[in-house]
Amino acid sequence: MFACFCLWFIILEFWLVCYLLTTPSLQTVSGAVMNALVATNRNFKLAARLLGLDSKLEKSLLIPFREIKVECTIPKDDGTLASFVGFRVQHDNARGPMKGGIRYHPEVDPDEVNALAQLMTWKTAVANIPYGGAKGGIGCNPGELSVSELERLTRVFTQKIHDLIGIHTDVPAPDMGTGPQTMAWILDEYSKFHGYSPAVVTGKPIDLGGSLGRDAATGQGVLFATEALLNEHGKTISGQRFVIQGFGNVGAWAAQLISEQGGKIVAISDITGAMKNSKGIDIPSLLKHAKEHNGVKGFHGGDPIDPKSILVEDCDILIPAALGGVINRENANDIKAKFIIEAANHPTDPEADEILSKKGVVILPDIYANSGGVTVSYFEWVQNIQGFMWDEKKVNSELKNYMTKGFKDVKEMCKTHDCDLRMGAFTLGVNRVARATVLRGWEA
């Protein structure tokens, strides 16, 4: 039965790829985004079949609750006017307010935002936090705009959508090209219309109600997820050899926290270069070097290597923490790791998934592994609503509880449906959203 499902979905996936490539409005979607969209829809469909969902309910769960497109015109510093297009897709609110980041990037488009909003619906459900999914963004290059221009753009965007977001409606957060300052501007502009409302966004500066531990949250969640997986296999982090692709926020925090637990980082890379050291890289020294030189290139604590080879370096555990689609059919056979922890979004293509599965490689999927960030965002929202802030020890303690329980829940789904961790996670998330939808009376 399961084999028949897989064959059916290979046909579906082929059709969807053809559709994406021949639909004019979707031809601008980048390869990585298209692959993520195909994979997310494929995994959802397979999870829906495993759960035996009604076809009407299945269709209802895929269609976004609301799609928003607005024009944002601002005066630039030189006196000219510039117009940008902003998007917000609110995918599902069956389990609570919708949640998702706002990104500033030249290639932001409605199809990308749609795919990411849907993924947030399943991710928040897997984490078992009371949210639905959303995503937004503005098509712009933040590097070409001054701070004052970015502030004006953010405030105009907020003015256009302030009636459609809110503490119990849709709670934005930072994403690519945005950060705590962006959230501070949204908070201030929103509060002009609705009164002081710190819980309307998360990822804020600490001084405006941001949560301690938020900066490290995704990396901290990766640590806890890795501990849970290794514990299942009778192992601990101490003594394991790690390779980490990406030394941005997530990769750097994961490297630091893993090394503090006795893990050995034998290779690491970022956009500037890559290196390896079989005895283990001195992560505190590398962090200092990367801060001073804007990257790992030139660090003398390891031997330089081709960044393209980082994924196939000899190790026990591979953590892709950079871009999507980096593990594919071209390199999957050469990967030596026994475990892969997906700290990045959709780093493994479906074809590579199949190859690695046949090799016996255990993959901890992104929908669970990198959910630490949104979980601590939930903690920030809770603190703001309560008006009672937690210390960092409590934040990390609660995060560990959620990540540990989340892994157990995923494993239970794997046993129930005889599937791998990725499908176990998707089935868990889809089931929770479907149950909430039915209980609320979706056909009324």
Side-chain angles (χ1 to χ4, degrees):
M1 180 80 61
F2 188 76
C4 293
F5 284 154
C6 291
L7 179 60
W8 188 87
F9 281 111
I10 289 172
I11 296 171
L12 173 68
E13 185 177 3
F14 175 76
W15 174 86
L16 185 54
V17 169
C18 292
Y19 171 76
L20 287 166
L21 288 174
T22 57
T23 303
S25 65
L26 299 183
Q27 289 176 352
T28 59
V29 181
S30 69
V33 172
M34 185 183 74
N35 289 337
L37 178 59
V38 169
T40 299
N41 278 284
R42 177 179 183 271
N43 290 331
F44 166 79
K45 291 283 187 180
L46 184 52
R49 291 293 182 268
L50 288 175
L51 293 166
L53 295 187
D54 177 87
S55 59
K56 293 181 180 178
L57 175 59
E58 180 182 327
K59 182 179 180 181
S60 174
L61 293 177
L62 273 179
I63 298 173
F65 172 77
R66 181 186 287 129
E67 297 181 16
I68 305 160
K69 180 179 179 181
V70 296
E71 182 183 26
C72 301
T73 301
I74 63 165
K76 298 192 71 178
D77 293 343
D78 62 6
T80 61
L81 293 178
S83 289
F84 305 89
V85 179
F87 304 95
R88 187 70 177 171
V89 173
Q90 298 170 328
H91 180 257
D92 190 277
N93 64 354
R95 300 182 66 255
M98 292 162 284
K99 189 84 183 78
I102 291 178
R103 55 177 51 189
Y104 289 179
H105 191 273
E107 295 181 7
V108 167
D109 62 56
D111 306 300
E112 175 191 36
V113 175
N114 247 309
L116 295 172
Q118 182 194 149
L119 191 60
M120 283 301 297
T121 294
W122 316 134
K123 180 178 289 189
T124 53
V126 170
N128 205 20
I129 54 179
Y131 284 143
K135 209 75 174 183
I138 299 176
C140 68
N141 186 342
E144 295 178 355
L145 298 174
S146 69
V147 173
S148 59
E149 289 169 341
L150 286 170
E151 179 177 355
R152 288 194 288 272
L153 179 59
T154 302
R155 290 184 182 277
V156 169
F157 183 53
T158 306
Q159 290 165 14
K160 297 291 181 76
I161 67 169
H162 75 89
D163 278 333
L164 301 173
I165 62 173
I167 297 169
H168 300 293
T169 307
D170 179 2
V171 184
D175 202 302
M176 184 187 304
T178 61
Q181 181 60 69
T182 316
M183 297 304 105
W185 292 328
I186 294 175
L187 163 60
D188 184 69
E189 196 65 28
Y190 179 88
S191 296
K192 291 177 182 177
F193 296 94
H194 302 276
Y196 185 59
S197 310
V200 72
V201 290
T202 59
K204 303 179 294 294
I206 299 296
D207 291 339
L208 292 178
S211 178
L212 295 172
R214 179 62 185 86
D215 189 48
T218 306
Q220 188 79 63
V222 168
L223 172 72
F224 294 145
T226 304
E227 287 180 331
L229 176 63
L230 292 179
N231 184 61
E232 178 79 11
H233 292 265
K235 301 175 184 294
T236 64
I237 283 179
S238 181
Q240 300 294 320
R241 297 170 303 140
F242 291 79
V243 166
I244 300 179
Q245 185 204 37
F247 204 61
N249 176 272
V250 179
W253 275 111
Q256 179 179 333
L257 295 166
I258 287 168
S259 65
E260 289 173 357
Q261 294 295 318
K264 186 187 294 185
I265 315 298
V266 296
I268 205 159
S269 71
D270 68 3
I271 58 172
T272 67
M275 72 186 65
K276 68 177 181 179
N277 185 336
S278 59
K279 295 181 180 179
I281 296 170
D282 183 346
I283 297 301
S285 297
L286 179 58
L287 286 166
K288 182 180 178 181
H289 172 89
K291 184 176 181 180
E292 294 173 351
H293 299 87
N294 297 315
V296 304
K297 186 177 182 180
F299 181 64
H300 297 301
D303 299 321
I305 58 173
D306 183 350
K308 294 180 181 179
S309 72
I310 190 77
L311 297 168
V312 299
E313 289 293 327
D314 188 28
C315 66
D316 301 309
I317 301 165
L318 172 63
I319 302 181
L323 303 173
V326 294
I327 300 175
N328 47 54
R329 63 181 178 183
E330 280 77 29
N331 58 19
N333 279 311
D334 297 322
I335 288 176
K336 303 174 182 65
K338 304 176 186 70
F339 302 94
I340 296 176
I341 314 296
E342 293 186 334
N345 286 320
H346 187 63
T348 310
D349 282 353
E351 290 175 292
D353 234 344
E354 186 176 346
I355 294 169
L356 292 165
S357 178
K358 290 178 179 177
K359 290 176 61 178
V361 178
V362 178
I363 301 175
L364 199 58
D366 55 351
I367 195 173
Y368 160 73
N370 67 20
S371 63
V374 71
T375 303
V376 174
S377 282
Y378 163 59
F379 297 164
E380 180 178 332
W381 181 72
V382 168
Q383 293 170 74
N384 293 157
I385 290 173
Q386 292 179 331
F388 183 80
M389 306 307 290
W390 303 351
D391 60 29
E392 191 165 356
K393 183 178 180 180
K394 179 174 175 62
V395 171
N396 290 334
S397 174
E398 291 293 338
L399 177 58
K400 185 170 185 177
N401 289 339
Y402 270 79
M403 297 301 296
T404 303
K405 179 65 164 59
F407 182 78
K408 291 178 181 177
D409 292 343
V410 171
K411 285 295 293 184
E412 281 300 313
M413 274 296 188
C414 292
K415 293 175 184 177
T416 300
H417 297 286
D418 189 25
C419 58
D420 61 16
L421 289 168
R422 188 182 306 284
M423 195 46 54
F426 262 91
T427 306
L428 175 64
V430 172
N431 186 50
R432 282 175 172 162
V433 177
R435 286 173 60 189
T437 301
V438 171
L439 286 169
R440 291 184 63 167
W442 69 283
E443 289 185 303

